[in-house]
Amino acid sequence: MIHFITPLYRYNNIKIVYSTIKNQVEDFNWHLIEGSNKIGEESLDFLESDNRVIFYKIPTQYPWGHEQRNYFITSINCQDDDWCYF
């Protein structure tokens, strides 16, 4: 299993990234971790039907995504033979 970890910041990029992931990988989880900053108003409703996509909302102080990545490392369990891609 591969876990994709994406700081959810630029909403307008999500549709193309999702299309790329789902057409190249079958066994994945995509962790979209939203912080306090947001750019764009693109609806993400199309992702609700895919149980491989998991949403999180955390408070952040910085816009760069480090806090979202650290949240994944400290708070989300994976198997020892899983791969994680930030």
Side-chain angles (χ1 to χ4, degrees):
M1 164 85 66
I2 185 165
H3 297 269
F4 295 102
I5 299 87
T6 303
L8 185 52
Y9 176 61
R10 295 185 179 119
Y11 275 61
N12 296 344
N13 295 343
I14 295 300
K15 196 173 278 188
I16 189 112
V17 173
Y18 176 68
S19 176
T20 301
I21 292 171
K22 75 174 186 156
N23 289 312
Q24 293 187 37
V25 182
E26 187 173 313
D27 189 20
F28 71 89
N29 281 328
W30 190 19
H31 304 270
L32 292 169
I33 305 172
E34 182 180 9
S36 302
N37 298 307
K38 175 182 172 182
I39 293 177
E41 295 297 326
E42 187 82 23
S43 172
L44 303 181
D45 292 344
F46 67 97
L47 295 173
E48 291 177 3
S49 62
D50 191 336
N51 62 357
R52 300 171 295 184
V53 180
I54 307 160
F55 289 93
Y56 307 88
K57 173 75 173 152
I58 63 169
T60 57
Q61 294 180 346
Y62 305 102
W64 305 291
H66 301 298
E67 293 164 295
Q68 290 93 326
R69 291 180 192 103
N70 290 341
Y71 175 81
F72 178 84
I73 291 168
T74 60
S75 302
I76 299 169
N77 293 323
C78 297
Q79 301 298 316
D80 288 343
D81 58 349
D82 285 354
W83 290 85
C84 300
Y85 182 80
F86 295 93

